[in-house]
Amino acid sequence: MLTILGFVMIAAFLVLIMMKKMSPMAALVLIPALFCVLVGQGAHLGDYVLKGIGDLAPTAAMLMFAIIYFGVMIDVGLFDPIVRGILKFCKADPVRVVVGTALLAAIVSLDGDGSTTFMITVSALYPLYKRLKMSLVVMTGVAATANGVMNTLPWGGPTARAATALKLDAGDIFVPMIPALAVGLVAVFALAYVLGRRERKRLGVLTLDDTLGDTRPVNGTVPEKETEQVLVGAGTGATGGTPAGTRRTTGGAGTGADDVPAAGSGDQADEDDGLQVLDPQRATLRPKLYWFNAALTLALLTLLIMQTLPIPVLFLIGAALALTVNFPHMKDQKARVAAHAENVLNVSGMVFAAAVFTGVLTGTGMVEHMARWLVSGVPDALGPHMGIVTGVLSIPLTYFMSNDGFYFGIVPILAEAGAAHGVAPIEIARASLVGQALHMSSPLVPAVYVLVGMAKVEFGDHTKFTVKWAALTSLVVLCAGVLFGII
């Protein structure tokens, strides 16, 4: 009974948010509360919720101070050179923009933290996507999938959990998986190329000065500085519709893929409020402190990778330092915190709402019954192939479960079943990493709310668009692992 109700609860949640019948925050709270009553455990709802909040409180604190920290770094201009470099590569070509999204997300993912990756990626590329009228769910989908593949780094979380659960060395798990994960990353770039081609077909190819409209002076030349305004200050100009003077060099407008929503999917398709984020003339720039901010960020990411202190503590200290040094006056500090308060509230609110969902799912025993039902359904004939079975099961299970629940609750069961058929635990551990490409878009992952929140994309739109591509990427990793003899 718990198994059926668990699957129905998850299905109800996904259907309602994808059909936009409920907001994600309301669905995360009300649906599990209702099902907790239906399973006859309504009296324990408070205990389950408080347990879930307690488990996710450090994550919420980390996200709150990380948003403030990186928000301040964006305000003071730390990432402006990165934006210029990316956009010089992209040249307003949708293919290059989407491939650049995958590249940036993959590089920043080396720090092992999804929230950091999404904040930097969205901050750098959101203005360009808006100005070129590109689909924002393409950006969130590609960034999440790239980060999911890179999330398997030993310091990223899943590998360490698998090693701890099965008492193995993280290096022995990860290093042999590198070829399969590399193929998965190539698949992400191939996906980015295909999606970029669809966007190019839908929009045509623009030049940077096209996106600003015809701003050429009388002599017909375009000063380089004025052309670059689109790189970091594309918030000026008309809002909505195609910018005046835009010239498309290829046809096909409106013939893009049916499953690619228009730019800014949601109710804010024509809002250009985010385009001023990297205005090169903004008053918050601190060019004299550029190297201090760069060193502070590098030190913070280094300590994060080395796990010297808990991540929430690192970002708390980092945010306090960044605010104090860059904005010594109290009034300016309050203004910077207020400027990022909306993102902080939205993301932390979603995290605590997700705590209700995870608390009920775990506390009632639904997730355990669902997982055991799936494992018990594996035929004995597949016993010698438990590595492949684990890889396949990891795709849905890591989407519907937290990494802790999967690696500490399910992977040991799979390893025990595999051992009975001569499959080594190390093979099970490697196969368990396969589903991470999809996991990063799970409604139970707090970082995904940073991604969709900063990109102003509805979570339902992101889910509907990303799940199929992320699942396909996970299958590519699994097939590569089998072909290379790793799994």
Side-chain angles (χ1 to χ4, degrees), residues 416-439:
E416 184 178 342
H421 294 276
V423 179
I426 191 73
E427 187 174 337
I428 300 297
R430 292 169 187 161
S432 70
L433 302 178
V434 164
Q436 288 303 306
L438 178 59
H439 172 73

Side-chain angles (χ1 to χ4, degrees), residues 85-454:
I86 291 172
L87 299 188
K88 284 179 181 177
F89 164 77
C90 294
K91 296 180 180 178
D93 178 4
V95 173
R96 291 191 176 209
V97 172
V98 182
V99 172
T101 302
L103 179 61
L104 179 61
I107 291 173
V108 182
S109 293
L110 290 171
D111 75 342
D113 179 62
S115 302
T116 305
T117 299
F118 297 148
M119 278 185 272
I120 293 176
T121 302
V122 175
S123 298
L125 294 173
Y126 177 80
L128 183 62
Y129 272 80
K130 286 289 283 184
R131 173 52 65 184
L132 298 181
K133 307 298 179 185
M134 291 179 62
S135 172
L136 291 171
V137 292
V138 170
M139 176 177 67
T140 61
V142 169
T145 307
N147 177 252
V149 174
M150 296 296 290
N151 193 45
T152 54
L153 292 167
W155 54 87
T159 302
R161 288 181 174 90
T164 302
L166 299 182
K167 297 178 174 59
L168 300 169
D169 181 75
D172 292 339
I173 297 172
F174 175 73
V175 174
M177 278 293 289
I178 290 177
L181 295 172
V183 172
L185 200 56
V186 170
V188 172
F189 285 112
L191 170 64
Y193 178 79
V194 171
L195 294 176
R197 294 272 299 193
R198 290 184 176 184
E199 285 295 275
R200 179 194 283 174
K201 184 179 180 182
R202 184 172 68 87
L203 298 170
V205 179
L206 303 171
T207 63
L208 290 179
D209 42 317
D210 280 340
T211 64
L212 289 175
D214 191 0
T215 58
R216 288 172 295 183
V218 177
N219 61 10
T221 61
V222 180
E224 182 178 348
K225 183 176 180 180
E226 186 162 339
T227 301
E228 284 210 1
Q229 291 294 316
V230 73
L231 301 183
V232 292
T236 58
T239 60
T242 303
T246 296
R247 301 186 306 277
R248 304 187 188 282
T249 58
T250 62
T255 59
D258 292 336
D259 59 348
V260 181
S265 58
D267 296 330
Q268 61 287 329
D270 293 325
E271 292 179 6
D272 282 344
D273 56 317
L275 297 179
Q276 292 286 3
V277 170
L278 298 181
D279 179 358
Q281 306 302 324
R282 60 193 184 276
T284 58
L285 285 176
R286 297 292 185 269
K288 293 182 179 179
L289 293 172
Y290 183 85
W291 292 111
F292 167 80
N293 290 316
L296 177 62
T297 301
L298 181 62
L300 180 64
L301 296 180
T302 301
L303 292 174
L304 187 151
I305 292 172
M306 295 174 63
Q307 299 180 359
T308 307
L309 287 172
I311 296 178
V313 176
L314 287 174
F315 277 114
L316 192 157
I317 295 173
L321 278 173
L323 281 169
T324 302
V325 174
N326 288 284
F327 303 97
H329 299 296
M330 184 70 69
K331 181 180 70 173
D332 295 333
Q333 291 181 18
K334 288 182 177 180
R336 288 303 90 212
V337 172
H340 303 291
E342 182 180 357
N343 277 337
V344 170
L345 180 60
N346 287 339
V347 172
S348 57
M350 290 296 290
V351 171
F352 286 123
V356 180
F357 194 92
T358 57
V360 169
L361 200 61
T362 303
T364 58
M366 284 190 282
V367 70
E368 182 180 354
H369 279 75
M370 291 160 60
R372 289 185 179 277
W373 176 78
L374 286 172
V375 173
S376 64
V378 177
D380 291 337
L382 293 178
H385 306 289
M386 278 303 294
I388 297 175
V389 171
T390 299
V392 172
L393 289 178
S394 73
I395 298 174
L397 288 180
T398 56
Y399 185 78
F400 296 129
M401 299 175 65
S402 67
N403 270 339
D404 284 339
F406 176 70
Y407 285 101
F408 294 119
I410 304 305
V411 169
I413 298 173
L414 294 169
E416 184 178 342
H421 294 276
V423 179
I426 191 73
E427 187 174 337
I428 300 297
R430 292 169 187 161
S432 70
L433 302 178
V434 164
Q436 288 303 306
L438 178 59
H439 172 73
M440 287 310 297
S441 290
S442 166
L444 305 182
V445 175
V448 75
Y449 299 114
V450 176
L451 176 64
V452 298
M454 292 187 68

